[in-house]
Amino acid sequence: MTSRWPWISMLISLILTLSPHGREIIEAAFFAGEALSRNIWAPIALTIFAIMAVVILIEWLIRTYIFKRRARGATTA
């Protein structure tokens, strides 16, 4: 592992967002002509975005932990 950037979860989030289902959810949540559709899909879409952000944060924390652990080197116990 050479980078601390959470590229795996970022890539998966990007693919899911740009997929046909992801684009459909975004359009229904924020660009729909009907208020009922926006009111139903907006909290769902925001929850999905929050979950993706938490997964990215968790991956970044794990990568940082592993990076620091490798930098310390092996210890003999």
PDB file of all heavy atoms in Angstrom, residues 57-75:
ATOM      1  N   LEU A  57     -14.448   7.312   4.841  1.00  0.00           N
ATOM      2  CA  LEU A  57     -13.722   7.700   6.048  1.00  0.00           C
ATOM      3  C   LEU A  57     -13.126   6.477   6.748  1.00  0.00           C
ATOM      4  O   LEU A  57     -11.964   6.504   7.182  1.00  0.00           O
ATOM      5  CB  LEU A  57     -14.642   8.450   7.002  1.00  0.00           C
ATOM      6  CG  LEU A  57     -14.030   8.875   8.337  1.00  0.00           C
ATOM      7  CD1 LEU A  57     -12.941   9.916   8.106  1.00  0.00           C
ATOM      8  CD2 LEU A  57     -15.098   9.408   9.263  1.00  0.00           C
ATOM      9  N   ILE A  58     -13.885   5.398   6.836  1.00  0.00           N
ATOM     10  CA  ILE A  58     -13.377   4.173   7.471  1.00  0.00           C
ATOM     11  C   ILE A  58     -12.190   3.618   6.694  1.00  0.00           C
ATOM     12  O   ILE A  58     -11.182   3.213   7.287  1.00  0.00           O
ATOM     13  CB  ILE A  58     -14.502   3.134   7.612  1.00  0.00           C
ATOM     14  CG1 ILE A  58     -15.496   3.582   8.679  1.00  0.00           C
ATOM     15  CG2 ILE A  58     -13.948   1.760   7.951  1.00  0.00           C
ATOM     16  CD1 ILE A  58     -16.746   2.737   8.746  1.00  0.00           C
ATOM     17  N   GLU A  59     -12.278   3.600   5.374  1.00  0.00           N
ATOM     18  CA  GLU A  59     -11.147   3.107   4.580  1.00  0.00           C
ATOM     19  C   GLU A  59      -9.919   3.989   4.779  1.00  0.00           C
ATOM     20  O   GLU A  59      -8.797   3.488   4.906  1.00  0.00           O
ATOM     21  CB  GLU A  59     -11.498   3.036   3.097  1.00  0.00           C
ATOM     22  CG  GLU A  59     -10.368   2.455   2.284  1.00  0.00           C
ATOM     23  CD  GLU A  59     -10.608   2.445   0.788  1.00  0.00           C
ATOM     24  OE1 GLU A  59     -11.718   2.783   0.341  1.00  0.00           O
ATOM     25  OE2 GLU A  59      -9.667   2.086   0.064  1.00  0.00           O
ATOM     26  N   TRP A  60     -10.115   5.289   4.843  1.00  0.00           N
ATOM     27  CA  TRP A  60      -8.990   6.198   5.049  1.00  0.00           C
ATOM     28  C   TRP A  60      -8.348   5.954   6.419  1.00  0.00           C
ATOM     29  O   TRP A  60      -7.124   5.930   6.543  1.00  0.00           O
ATOM     30  CB  TRP A  60      -9.453   7.647   4.923  1.00  0.00           C
ATOM     31  CG  TRP A  60      -8.357   8.626   5.150  1.00  0.00           C
ATOM     32  CD1 TRP A  60      -7.347   8.953   4.296  1.00  0.00           C
ATOM     33  CD2 TRP A  60      -8.141   9.380   6.335  1.00  0.00           C
ATOM     34  NE1 TRP A  60      -6.532   9.883   4.874  1.00  0.00           N
ATOM     35  CE2 TRP A  60      -6.991  10.167   6.123  1.00  0.00           C
ATOM     36  CE3 TRP A  60      -8.809   9.493   7.545  1.00  0.00           C
ATOM     37  CZ2 TRP A  60      -6.506  11.032   7.092  1.00  0.00           C
ATOM     38  CZ3 TRP A  60      -8.316  10.355   8.501  1.00  0.00           C
ATOM     39  CH2 TRP A  60      -7.179  11.111   8.266  1.00  0.00           C
ATOM     40  N   LEU A  61      -9.175   5.757   7.455  1.00  0.00           N
ATOM     41  CA  LEU A  61      -8.633   5.500   8.790  1.00  0.00           C
ATOM     42  C   LEU A  61      -7.859   4.182   8.846  1.00  0.00           C
ATOM     43  O   LEU A  61      -6.788   4.102   9.458  1.00  0.00           O
ATOM     44  CB  LEU A  61      -9.766   5.486   9.823  1.00  0.00           C
ATOM     45  CG  LEU A  61     -10.394   6.841  10.125  1.00  0.00           C
ATOM     46  CD1 LEU A  61     -11.619   6.665  11.015  1.00  0.00           C
ATOM     47  CD2 LEU A  61      -9.389   7.771  10.769  1.00  0.00           C
ATOM     48  N   ILE A  62      -8.381   3.149   8.189  1.00  0.00           N
ATOM     49  CA  ILE A  62      -7.684   1.864   8.159  1.00  0.00           C
ATOM     50  C   ILE A  62      -6.363   1.990   7.420  1.00  0.00           C
ATOM     51  O   ILE A  62      -5.334   1.475   7.869  1.00  0.00           O
ATOM     52  CB  ILE A  62      -8.582   0.785   7.528  1.00  0.00           C
ATOM     53  CG1 ILE A  62      -9.739   0.455   8.464  1.00  0.00           C
ATOM     54  CG2 ILE A  62      -7.784  -0.478   7.194  1.00  0.00           C
ATOM     55  CD1 ILE A  62     -10.793  -0.438   7.840  1.00  0.00           C
ATOM     56  N   ARG A  63      -6.369   2.674   6.291  1.00  0.00           N
ATOM     57  CA  ARG A  63      -5.128   2.850   5.535  1.00  0.00           C
ATOM     58  C   ARG A  63      -4.103   3.656   6.331  1.00  0.00           C
ATOM     59  O   ARG A  63      -2.913   3.355   6.303  1.00  0.00           O
ATOM     60  CB  ARG A  63      -5.405   3.531   4.195  1.00  0.00           C
ATOM     61  CG  ARG A  63      -6.037   2.612   3.195  1.00  0.00           C
ATOM     62  CD  ARG A  63      -6.309   3.368   1.890  1.00  0.00           C
ATOM     63  NE  ARG A  63      -6.760   2.469   0.872  1.00  0.00           N
ATOM     64  CZ  ARG A  63      -5.948   1.885  -0.003  1.00  0.00           C
ATOM     65  NH1 ARG A  63      -4.675   2.146  -0.004  1.00  0.00           N
ATOM     66  NH2 ARG A  63      -6.439   1.059  -0.903  1.00  0.00           N
ATOM     67  N   THR A  64      -4.553   4.681   7.047  1.00  0.00           N
ATOM     68  CA  THR A  64      -3.643   5.473   7.871  1.00  0.00           C
ATOM     69  C   THR A  64      -3.048   4.628   8.990  1.00  0.00           C
ATOM     70  O   THR A  64      -1.847   4.701   9.266  1.00  0.00           O
ATOM     71  CB  THR A  64      -4.373   6.691   8.457  1.00  0.00           C
ATOM     72  OG1 THR A  64      -4.900   7.474   7.386  1.00  0.00           O
ATOM     73  CG2 THR A  64      -3.451   7.555   9.288  1.00  0.00           C
ATOM     74  N   TYR A  65      -3.874   3.812   9.626  1.00  0.00           N
ATOM     75  CA  TYR A  65      -3.399   2.930  10.698  1.00  0.00           C
ATOM     76  C   TYR A  65      -2.355   1.942  10.170  1.00  0.00           C
ATOM     77  O   TYR A  65      -1.297   1.759  10.788  1.00  0.00           O
ATOM     78  CB  TYR A  65      -4.582   2.187  11.307  1.00  0.00           C
ATOM     79  CG  TYR A  65      -4.186   1.154  12.325  1.00  0.00           C
ATOM     80  CD1 TYR A  65      -3.743   1.537  13.585  1.00  0.00           C
ATOM     81  CD2 TYR A  65      -4.227  -0.202  12.015  1.00  0.00           C
ATOM     82  CE1 TYR A  65      -3.360   0.587  14.521  1.00  0.00           C
ATOM     83  CE2 TYR A  65      -3.855  -1.148  12.942  1.00  0.00           C
ATOM     84  CZ  TYR A  65      -3.424  -0.755  14.199  1.00  0.00           C
ATOM     85  OH  TYR A  65      -3.046  -1.692  15.108  1.00  0.00           O
ATOM     86  N   ILE A  66      -2.646   1.325   9.045  1.00  0.00           N
ATOM     87  CA  ILE A  66      -1.703   0.363   8.470  1.00  0.00           C
ATOM     88  C   ILE A  66      -0.415   1.052   8.047  1.00  0.00           C
ATOM     89  O   ILE A  66       0.682   0.537   8.258  1.00  0.00           O
ATOM     90  CB  ILE A  66      -2.353  -0.394   7.293  1.00  0.00           C
ATOM     91  CG1 ILE A  66      -3.463  -1.306   7.810  1.00  0.00           C
ATOM     92  CG2 ILE A  66      -1.321  -1.207   6.517  1.00  0.00           C
ATOM     93  CD1 ILE A  66      -4.296  -1.946   6.722  1.00  0.00           C
ATOM     94  N   PHE A  67      -0.531   2.249   7.459  1.00  0.00           N
ATOM     95  CA  PHE A  67       0.643   2.994   7.022  1.00  0.00           C
ATOM     96  C   PHE A  67       1.547   3.338   8.207  1.00  0.00           C
ATOM     97  O   PHE A  67       2.765   3.179   8.144  1.00  0.00           O
ATOM     98  CB  PHE A  67       0.200   4.258   6.289  1.00  0.00           C
ATOM     99  CG  PHE A  67       1.314   5.010   5.634  1.00  0.00           C
ATOM    100  CD1 PHE A  67       1.871   4.560   4.452  1.00  0.00           C
ATOM    101  CD2 PHE A  67       1.811   6.177   6.190  1.00  0.00           C
ATOM    102  CE1 PHE A  67       2.888   5.245   3.842  1.00  0.00           C
ATOM    103  CE2 PHE A  67       2.832   6.875   5.595  1.00  0.00           C
ATOM    104  CZ  PHE A  67       3.372   6.413   4.413  1.00  0.00           C
ATOM    105  N   LYS A  68       0.952   3.792   9.311  1.00  0.00           N
ATOM    106  CA  LYS A  68       1.743   4.131  10.499  1.00  0.00           C
ATOM    107  C   LYS A  68       2.347   2.879  11.132  1.00  0.00           C
ATOM    108  O   LYS A  68       3.462   2.909  11.635  1.00  0.00           O
ATOM    109  CB  LYS A  68       0.875   4.862  11.521  1.00  0.00           C
ATOM    110  CG  LYS A  68       0.555   6.268  11.127  1.00  0.00           C
ATOM    111  CD  LYS A  68      -0.285   6.951  12.187  1.00  0.00           C
ATOM    112  CE  LYS A  68      -0.634   8.365  11.788  1.00  0.00           C
ATOM    113  NZ  LYS A  68      -1.464   9.022  12.793  1.00  0.00           N
ATOM    114  N   ARG A  69       1.599   1.791  11.101  1.00  0.00           N
ATOM    115  CA  ARG A  69       2.102   0.547  11.689  1.00  0.00           C
ATOM    116  C   ARG A  69       3.297   0.019  10.906  1.00  0.00           C
ATOM    117  O   ARG A  69       4.268  -0.467  11.489  1.00  0.00           O
ATOM    118  CB  ARG A  69       0.985  -0.478  11.704  1.00  0.00           C
ATOM    119  CG  ARG A  69       1.316  -1.715  12.456  1.00  0.00           C
ATOM    120  CD  ARG A  69       0.122  -2.579  12.605  1.00  0.00           C
ATOM    121  NE  ARG A  69       0.489  -3.821  13.254  1.00  0.00           N
ATOM    122  CZ  ARG A  69      -0.281  -4.852  13.372  1.00  0.00           C
ATOM    123  NH1 ARG A  69      -1.504  -4.819  12.875  1.00  0.00           N
ATOM    124  NH2 ARG A  69       0.120  -5.931  13.980  1.00  0.00           N
ATOM    125  N   ARG A  70       3.244   0.111   9.593  1.00  0.00           N
ATOM    126  CA  ARG A  70       4.371  -0.338   8.764  1.00  0.00           C
ATOM    127  C   ARG A  70       5.571   0.584   8.921  1.00  0.00           C
ATOM    128  O   ARG A  70       6.704   0.148   8.791  1.00  0.00           O
ATOM    129  CB  ARG A  70       3.955  -0.415   7.292  1.00  0.00           C
ATOM    130  CG  ARG A  70       3.079  -1.600   7.000  1.00  0.00           C
ATOM    131  CD  ARG A  70       2.817  -1.707   5.528  1.00  0.00           C
ATOM    132  NE  ARG A  70       1.964  -2.854   5.260  1.00  0.00           N
ATOM    133  CZ  ARG A  70       1.467  -3.118   4.087  1.00  0.00           C
ATOM    134  NH1 ARG A  70       1.716  -2.340   3.056  1.00  0.00           N
ATOM    135  NH2 ARG A  70       0.697  -4.181   3.921  1.00  0.00           N
ATOM    136  N   ALA A  71       5.310   1.867   9.162  1.00  0.00           N
ATOM    137  CA  ALA A  71       6.410   2.817   9.315  1.00  0.00           C
ATOM    138  C   ALA A  71       7.177   2.555  10.605  1.00  0.00           C
ATOM    139  O   ALA A  71       8.394   2.811  10.678  1.00  0.00           O
ATOM    140  CB  ALA A  71       5.881   4.251   9.306  1.00  0.00           C
ATOM    141  N   ARG A  72       6.504   2.055  11.618  1.00  0.00           N
ATOM    142  CA  ARG A  72       7.179   1.732  12.891  1.00  0.00           C
ATOM    143  C   ARG A  72       8.130   0.562  12.749  1.00  0.00           C
ATOM    144  O   ARG A  72       9.120   0.455  13.436  1.00  0.00           O
ATOM    145  CB  ARG A  72       6.139   1.390  13.964  1.00  0.00           C
ATOM    146  CG  ARG A  72       5.637   2.583  14.697  1.00  0.00           C
ATOM    147  CD  ARG A  72       4.790   2.147  15.854  1.00  0.00           C
ATOM    148  NE  ARG A  72       3.452   1.838  15.339  1.00  0.00           N
ATOM    149  CZ  ARG A  72       2.552   1.126  15.955  1.00  0.00           C
ATOM    150  NH1 ARG A  72       2.834   0.590  17.118  1.00  0.00           N
ATOM    151  NH2 ARG A  72       1.379   0.914  15.436  1.00  0.00           N
ATOM    152  N   GLY A  73       7.775  -0.357  11.860  1.00  0.00           N
ATOM    153  CA  GLY A  73       8.612  -1.537  11.662  1.00  0.00           C
ATOM    154  C   GLY A  73       8.198  -2.664  12.592  1.00  0.00           C
ATOM    155  O   GLY A  73       7.352  -2.516  13.477  1.00  0.00           O
ATOM    156  N   ALA A  74       8.831  -3.797  12.407  1.00  0.00           N
ATOM    157  CA  ALA A  74       8.521  -4.963  13.214  1.00  0.00           C
ATOM    158  C   ALA A  74       9.193  -4.848  14.573  1.00  0.00           C
ATOM    159  O   ALA A  74      10.335  -4.419  14.694  1.00  0.00           O
ATOM    160  CB  ALA A  74       8.972  -6.218  12.502  1.00  0.00           C
ATOM    161  N   THR A  75       8.486  -5.252  15.592  1.00  0.00           N
ATOM    162  CA  THR A  75       9.041  -5.250  16.935  1.00  0.00           C
ATOM    163  C   THR A  75       9.146  -6.700  17.404  1.00  0.00           C
ATOM    164  O   THR A  75       8.370  -7.555  17.019  1.00  0.00           O
ATOM    165  CB  THR A  75       8.166  -4.451  17.919  1.00  0.00           C
ATOM    166  OG1 THR A  75       6.872  -5.053  17.941  1.00  0.00           O
ATOM    167  CG2 THR A  75       8.061  -3.013  17.496  1.00  0.00           C
TER     168      THR A  75
END
